[in-house]
Amino acid sequence: MPTVLVVDDDPHIREVLRFALEKDGHRVVEAADGQEALARFAAESPELLVLDVVMPEMDGIEACRRLRAESSVPILFLSSKDDEIDRILGLEMGGDDYVTKPFSPRELVARIRALLRRAAVQVPTAGAAEGGEVLTQGRLRLDGERFEVSWDGEPVVLTVTEFGLLRTLMKHPGRVSSRQDLMDRAYREHTVVTERTIDTHVRRLRQKFAAVGGHPVETVHGLGYKLGDCEGSGE
């Protein structure tokens, strides 16, 4: 029974989500703001967070930033704002998906189910689903069974989504993958993403590798992305 941490300052929304998620077979814990969310996360070790963006004490963006410093747990942002800038900012901070209010509880539960399935494939059952593969390209190494990535021996902590994108590129080194290809391969259980979402996740992936001197993902203008030779320190 996966544990989902629902973080929202509106008790009615928490109640609606609790009912829908428990009906779907999930265990639900709640928090009313970002500060409480960090404490509940440490105490409960949930498999997924539903995180409201606008909250008192600490908003969802800041809570996500702090969580991403130590965890790759899937995060689904929930917000009353449908502005693209908020959506992109949430993904830049490490969110895996984004739903705007008002929302359909059935759709939100389906997205949560999809994120959990993808996380289960990529983390604990990667050995069974993907042959427990270890992929290497130059100074880049990805261990599918341990959910670990490193550049020149330096660990790089990725979210579930980022890990899936990188693994898709590493499976076909040198081949150009269009954004649609990446959506089809890296989001097998989750097809509601857009090409702009792919760009955002790739940009965040690059930022993490740049911090350790790596630049594994190359842009092929007008076509998509590909994995570079991963030997040098620049693109």
Side-chain angles (χ1 to χ4, degrees):
M1 182 181 291
T3 297
V4 177
L5 173 55
V6 175
V7 189
D8 197 296
D9 60 331
D10 186 333
H12 174 68
I13 288 179
R14 297 201 305 272
E15 181 182 358
V16 168
L17 287 175
R18 173 182 285 277
F19 177 81
L21 287 166
E22 288 181 343
K23 185 178 179 181
D24 198 53
H26 305 287
R27 174 176 174 263
V28 178
V29 292
E30 300 178 19
D33 58 61
Q35 197 70 54
E36 185 183 359
L38 297 180
R40 295 306 300 270
F41 180 83
E44 302 287 347
S45 299
E47 279 76 21
L48 182 143
L49 275 76
V50 177
L51 194 57
D52 189 25
V53 172
V54 180
M55 294 182 293
E57 302 299 329
M58 181 190 296
D59 65 22
I61 299 294
E62 176 61 17
C64 177
R65 187 186 69 78
R66 297 194 186 190
L67 286 168
R68 280 292 175 250
E70 61 182 63
S71 173
S72 59
V73 65
I75 294 177
L76 184 148
F77 274 110
L78 190 63
S79 177
S80 56
K81 297 183 177 181
D82 195 17
D83 195 306
E84 185 180 34
I85 208 158
D86 293 304
R87 186 187 306 267
I88 297 301
L89 179 60
L91 296 175
E92 289 278 13
M93 287 295 103
D96 294 282
D97 199 0
Y98 195 110
V99 174
T100 56
K101 303 174 185 176
F103 57 87
S104 160
R106 180 178 297 179
E107 179 191 352
L108 191 139
V109 168
R111 294 209 193 183
I112 288 172
R113 199 184 303 136
L115 283 173
L116 288 170
R117 279 198 298 265
R118 185 147 48 89
V121 166
Q122 291 174 353
V123 186
T125 61
E130 301 288 344
E133 68 210 342
V134 174
L135 303 174
T136 59
Q137 179 75 8
R139 289 155 44 163
L140 177 63
R141 183 178 189 275
L142 180 148
D143 188 325
E145 186 170 5
R146 292 182 172 84
F147 193 66
E148 293 175 349
V149 174
S150 62
W151 177 270
D152 209 17
E154 188 77 20
V156 181
V157 179
L158 303 181
T159 67
V160 170
T161 302
E162 294 159 357
F163 188 89
L165 287 171
L166 182 63
R167 184 169 61 186
T168 298
L169 291 171
M170 291 187 72
K171 278 176 167 287
H172 308 283
R175 190 176 86 181
V176 178
S177 293
S178 69
R179 291 166 179 82
Q180 186 62 53
D181 287 338
L182 290 172
M183 283 191 283
D184 292 341
R185 295 193 185 112
Y187 290 80
R188 294 171 192 165
E189 297 287 351
H190 184 44
T191 57
V192 295
V193 299
T194 65
E195 291 190 356
R196 184 67 181 271
T197 301
I198 293 289
D199 291 339
T200 301
H201 285 305
V202 169
R203 184 160 59 248
R204 176 135 179 105
L205 193 63
R206 284 173 163 162
Q207 290 171 350
K208 291 184 175 182
F209 276 99
V212 295
H215 300 276
V217 181
E218 297 181 359
T219 299
V220 180
H221 294 289
L223 295 176
Y225 299 104
K226 72 173 184 177
L227 191 74
D229 61 18
C230 300
E231 294 292 351
S233 60
E235 289 187 296

